[in-house]
Amino acid sequence: AGTLRIGDLDATDLPPWSRPVNTVFQSYALFPHLSVAANVAYGLVREGMARASIAARVAEMLDLVQLAGLEDRKPHQLSGGQRQRVALARALALAPRLLVCDEPVSALDMTIQRQVLELLGRLRRDRGMAMLFISHDLDAVARLCDRVLVMKDGAIVEAGATRQVVERPAAAYTRELVASAWPGGMAGALPPAAASPCGGVSGGAPGLTRRPGAQRAGSSTTAVPLTVTMSMPLPWPSTS
């Protein structure tokens, strides 16, 4: 029980398929029998969009994720990074007000991780895209997101602006995460304070690694306010 608001929209009583939210999964979740173009067009077809509009939208999305020319390929003919970009294009095709990214780069090698994160950063910066980014990788979270929630065993142990949480962690568990993410110190860990309010991932981002056993850090890129209230609240850190 509770409420869910996305910007000025009360989405509490909307069925999941009617909410302006799309998800990018760790496992891509592409239809193996469909082409790249058909995967991206899937939601548009289900919405009943006109064929000409679908073709134009698919072309726009594939150009956005730098996959123009691969429309006729099947998922098995693509690299992992290309598959994830197809999944991202499919999620963006319906113009969601909120994009949920659930471990979107953890299955990719470090070079491809950087490319996908840079793409997400550009979407934030250029389109004002609101995202909820869920990851075990605190370095990726710190470079992409402007607010962070750190969770352990299903409870939120710390929440706040990214720079505050990373540079001045209040919870002992967060301090452990920060120390494991940057054992050599915090130099260069975050973009400059004068960077765009949307932040994003810089071109010089270091290699990203996933630490075994690390807990998830949920974070948001808040172009659209997202508010969740619970009648039985999640455990929340004391503000006293």
Side-chain angles (χ1 to χ4, degrees), residues 183-206:
M186 292 290 299
L190 293 176
S196 161
C198 283
V201 180
S202 68

Side-chain angles (χ1 to χ4, degrees), residues 144-157:
L144 186 61
C145 302
D146 47 34
R147 290 189 60 81
V148 178
L149 287 81
V150 180
M151 299 186 70
K152 181 181 182 183
D153 299 328
I156 298 171
V157 299

Side-chain angles (χ1 to χ4, degrees), residues 86-174:
V86 173
L88 180 58
R90 181 179 61 187
L92 295 173
L94 287 170
R97 297 185 67 180
L98 176 68
L99 183 66
V100 178
C101 299
D102 188 4
E103 297 279 9
V105 298
S106 61
L108 307 175
D109 64 42
M110 287 187 290
T111 299
I112 305 303
Q113 283 186 29
R114 287 197 295 270
Q115 294 174 2
V116 173
L117 287 169
E118 287 166 4
L119 173 59
L120 290 172
R122 287 197 299 273
L123 288 171
R124 293 200 55 221
R125 188 170 56 248
D126 300 341
R127 296 197 167 209
M129 174 65 65
M131 300 179 191
L132 179 64
F133 187 90
I134 304 165
S135 178
H136 290 78
D137 193 323
L138 189 58
D139 184 82
V141 167
R143 289 183 173 274
L144 186 61
C145 302
D146 47 34
R147 290 189 60 81
V148 178
L149 287 81
V150 180
M151 299 186 70
K152 181 181 182 183
D153 299 328
I156 298 171
V157 299
E158 187 159 357
T162 299
R163 188 170 294 275
Q164 174 187 336
V165 170
V166 171
E167 293 185 346
R168 298 181 299 279
Y173 179 71
T174 308

Side-chain angles (χ1 to χ4, degrees), residues 26 40 48 54-55 74 77 81 85 96 110 112 116 140 182 221:
Q26 175 182 350
V40 176
I54 291 175
K74 297 291 181 62
Q77 298 174 303
R85 281 184 277 165
M110 287 187 290
I112 305 303
V116 173
W182 298 286
T221 67

